Amino acid sequence: MKEAVTRLLAEGGRSFWSLAGRWEYRLKDLVDALNEMHEQGEVSVRNGTIELRGGEKLRRLKEHTCRCCRGRGIEVRNTSLLRRFRQVLRDRPHTTAEYFQGNMDAESVVARVFLMDARDGLAGRRVCMVGDDDYLSLALGLTHLPERIYVLEIDERIGEFIERCARRYGMEIEFLHYSVEDPLPRELRRRCHIFSTEPLETLSGFLSFFARGAGTLAGRGCSGYVGLTNLECSLSKWKRIQEEMLRMGFVITEVRRRFSSYPMEYPEDDVYLEQVVNSLNFRVKPNRKGVWYFSHLFRVEAVEQPSPSPAPDERAEVRLFDPGDDMTYPNSGRR
């Protein structure tokens, strides 16, 4: 991991948050590597900038990520859908640590809508959200393309806000108060063409959210859109997740890296920032302006009738923490 840090610092000093935004492994691995390198005098920290000390710096090419789409492959700035979606979101409920929530920015949500339409076509489709604290249902609803949008969400504040907006803007959205630990509602089993979820990233949490989405799909050729990070998931966990997706009857058609951005913009987000800052052995100020937390977007497609596990009629057991992986969840240090 120290070599990965050295590569990121090859062009010069960076803030901790800049490093975190480009990090390809668990956030815990970055913190551990930096703490060790700082203790051993391999990096210095001055005015919030981390720099290599001594030794030969690694040579590498400069970064050339597209500045317009920021590597997503989809440009959404200055679109009417983005403007309207931002207007709708002005009165949305704040996130709460009780449900491990974090809102992706409006551009990320609208980019997902455009990708879903490009890859699957939204017109006449039935779409299910397994959790929707990002309000993707509202962005989809503003297009008036899907036949019906279902929202399975445990936070009733979110459900009430979505229902209020649906009535105001004439959207075909139905909210169901739901926990993924419960069996899937019968009326949604094999009902939809597309599902989308940003799951809890414990292994049991991810697979439960994914299985509930898979259980809503009508059959072969249906698709899902799922967010997953490196920051909270080891590559070993990625391997397990991908194996389970295949077992459930899906193939991964694409992974869009850093597709979704999560700004820490609410006071409630301070609990996540404090977890990170307090884990370092040198002083770092919390970053409440720049974006450093990203998730990657998987598109999966059913190549056979999905076989979700747990099955739609079974309860799921969801663990809130995976020891060693979680760092930005409240009280993650007290397991």
Side-chain angles (χ1 to χ4, degrees):
M1 293 300 169
K2 290 167 62 174
E3 182 179 342
V5 173
T6 301
R7 285 199 303 271
L8 290 175
L9 293 174
E11 296 178 13
R14 294 183 182 272
S15 70
F16 170 79
W17 304 108
S18 175
L19 286 173
R22 291 164 174 78
W23 188 244
E24 298 288 349
Y25 304 97
R26 295 181 307 173
L27 187 58
K28 181 183 184 301
D29 295 326
L30 174 62
V31 168
D32 290 346
L34 285 173
N35 282 341
E36 181 181 345
M37 294 174 77
H38 185 247
E39 289 177 358
Q40 297 179 355
E42 297 175 43
V43 296
S44 62
V45 184
R46 181 178 300 178
N47 297 324
T49 299
I50 303 170
E51 296 181 298
L52 294 173
R53 294 183 62 183
E56 184 178 350
K57 295 183 179 180
L58 294 176
R59 298 174 58 195
R60 62 177 304 176
L61 299 175
K62 290 185 178 181
E63 194 171 306
H64 287 279
T65 301
C66 176
R67 295 183 180 180
C68 293
C69 70
R70 295 189 294 183
R72 287 193 186 102
I74 295 178
E75 173 57 84
V76 301
R77 294 180 303 174
N78 301 318
T79 60
S80 62
L81 180 57
L82 179 60
R83 290 194 296 271
R84 287 182 289 140
F85 183 53
R86 282 177 169 159
Q87 183 178 9
V88 169
L89 291 181
R90 286 184 300 182
D91 298 321
R92 69 184 176 186
H94 283 195
T95 57
T96 173
E98 179 182 0
Y99 298 122
F100 304 94
Q101 293 170 350
N103 296 134
M104 68 174 71
D105 63 17
E107 287 189 12
S108 300
V109 177
V110 171
R112 185 175 299 203
V113 172
F114 285 128
L115 179 62
M116 293 168 77
D117 189 50
R119 295 291 280 111
D120 292 286
L122 291 171
R125 299 289 191 172
R126 293 184 293 275
V127 187
C128 183
M129 313 291 113
V130 185
D132 196 23
D133 55 352
D134 300 307
Y135 304 100
L136 175 61
S137 60
L138 296 179
L140 289 166
L142 286 170
T143 69
H144 297 286
L145 289 175
E147 174 187 308
R148 192 72 170 167
I149 301 165
Y150 301 95
V151 177
L152 300 176
E153 171 60 54
I154 193 171
D155 189 340
E156 291 185 281
R157 301 173 311 137
I158 291 175
E160 290 169 1
F161 177 72
I162 289 173
E163 287 183 320
R164 189 163 64 248
C165 291
R167 288 192 298 268
R168 179 178 179 182
Y169 296 98
M171 302 174 181
E172 293 293 331
I173 300 178
E174 180 178 343
F175 161 66
L176 292 86
H177 184 230
Y178 176 74
S179 167
V180 294
E181 293 183 310
D182 296 330
L184 189 67
R186 291 183 179 276
E187 62 268 29
L188 286 186
R189 298 176 192 177
R190 298 191 179 185
R191 173 69 177 164
C192 299
H193 307 98
I194 304 168
F195 80 88
S196 180
T197 187
E198 292 292 311
L200 183 67
E201 293 197 342
T202 60
L203 183 61
S204 61
F206 184 97
L207 295 178
S208 296
F209 275 78
F210 186 90
R212 296 315 186 206
T216 69
L217 297 185
R220 181 178 180 181
C222 294
S223 61
Y225 292 81
V226 190
L228 183 63
T229 73
N230 289 117
L231 294 177
E232 305 289 355
C233 289
S234 66
L235 293 182
S236 295
K237 188 188 289 186
W238 270 49
K239 180 175 182 289
R240 285 286 307 279
I241 285 171
Q242 292 180 32
E243 288 171 344
E244 292 301 319
M245 288 178 177
L246 296 175
R247 288 194 185 99
M248 291 189 210
F250 293 86
V251 62
I252 300 167
T253 61
E254 57 192 287
V255 180
R256 301 259 180 150
R257 297 191 64 77
R258 291 183 173 83
F259 193 89
S260 304
S261 306
Y262 288 82
M264 303 287 179
E265 58 187 354
Y266 291 132
E268 289 80 0
D269 294 323
D270 287 351
V271 66
Y272 302 114
L273 295 171
E274 289 171 6
Q275 289 285 334
V276 180
V277 169
N278 293 337
S279 66
L280 294 162
N281 63 13
F282 50 88
R283 188 170 181 272
V284 170
K285 292 182 179 180
N287 182 359
R288 296 180 177 86
K289 294 183 179 180
V291 178
W292 58 273
Y293 196 101
F294 298 88
S295 73
H296 315 302
L297 181 60
F298 282 67
R299 180 189 180 273
V300 299
E301 185 168 324
V303 293
E304 58 194 40
Q305 182 63 48
S307 302
S309 178
D313 59 351
E314 296 176 336
R315 284 189 56 80
E317 182 179 349
V318 176
R319 295 181 180 273
L320 298 182
F321 304 105
D322 281 343
D325 276 359
D326 305 313
M327 178 165 285
T328 59
Y329 287 158
N331 304 317
S332 63
R334 299 197 295 274
R335 286 194 281 275

